[in-house]
Structures are given as C-alpha cells and as structure tokens.
Amino acid sequence: GGEESSSLAGVPTILPALARAQSLAERAARHGFDWPDLAGVLEKVGEELQELLAADGLEEQEQELGDLLFSLVNVARWLGIDAESALRLACDRFTHRYAALEQEARARGLVLLEMSPEAQEALWRAIRTGTDSDS
C-alpha cells in the first residue's frame, strides 16, 4: 500500500505545520513507531542538530532543519505539550520583550541598528530579566 492505506493518511495537510507534525507523530506512536523514552528523543534532536550544522547548501539545510523541528515536536509530545501552543506563547513573549527592548533603547538614546551585537545582547538580557523570569 501507499499513503491511502497508511494510518497517517487521515491527518489533514491543511493543519499548521507544527500541529500536523504533532498529529503525525502521535499517530505513528500509537502504532508502535516511537522511542522507548524521552532520552531517545533528545538524542535524536542532537543528531538532527549535528546534521543541520553539517548540511551543505540551502536545500540540504532546509531538509535538516525540518527534521530538527519534527524531532522537537516529538519532544513536546513526550512532555505532553502542544507544540503549536508552545510556539505561539514563545512568539508572544518575544514580541513583548522586543517591544520593551525598543522602548529601552529609545529611552537610552540608542538606535538598535547602530548598536554592536554585544550591546544588543546585554540590553536584551536586561529586558528579559526585567520582564519575567522565564527562558
């Protein structure tokens, strides 16, 4: 059989990519295709990161990044976290922190584009520490 007889065939392709990846991984796991423990999933993440770093050319990098993201979705699944929701929350935190960064730069008379990467990082760390204690 092909895709039409696959247990993954019912996962809608119209889903956001993270939600689709999580649904695909959940279905595969229900059919016995899974790691025995979280450590195995984390090891896979490390492998995929190394493959991304070793990738040659944009096409191969894109493939390896996709594999890394898929592996991270499996980490979320193992932790019982919805990957789509987790990324949305991270985007919201980033948006809030970046706005605070811009505001603080303006208050100090600084222009982000003119700041060194080190100065930007120091200001970012100060904003993160001041806005919350999360990652």
Side-chain angles (χ1 to χ4, degrees), residues 25-43:
E26 287 168 356
R27 283 202 186 189
R30 281 196 307 265
H31 287 86
F33 189 73
D34 203 0
W35 288 269
D37 55 28
L38 179 60
V41 183
L42 294 172
E43 184 178 319

Side-chain angles (χ1 to χ4, degrees), residues 62-112:
E62 182 179 41
Q63 273 189 324
E64 296 303 339
L65 180 60
D67 291 348
L68 175 59
L69 290 170
F70 196 88
S71 295
L72 288 169
V73 167
N74 272 297
V75 171
R77 179 181 59 82
W78 265 86
L79 295 174
I81 296 170
D82 179 71
E84 189 75 29
S85 296
L87 184 56
R88 284 184 197 282
L89 290 171
C91 288
D92 291 346
R93 282 192 312 274
F94 178 81
T95 300
H96 176 76
R97 290 173 183 160
Y98 191 81
L101 176 79
E102 291 175 312
Q103 183 178 0
E104 184 62 26
R106 280 191 298 272
R108 295 182 185 192
L110 302 171
V111 177
L112 287 175

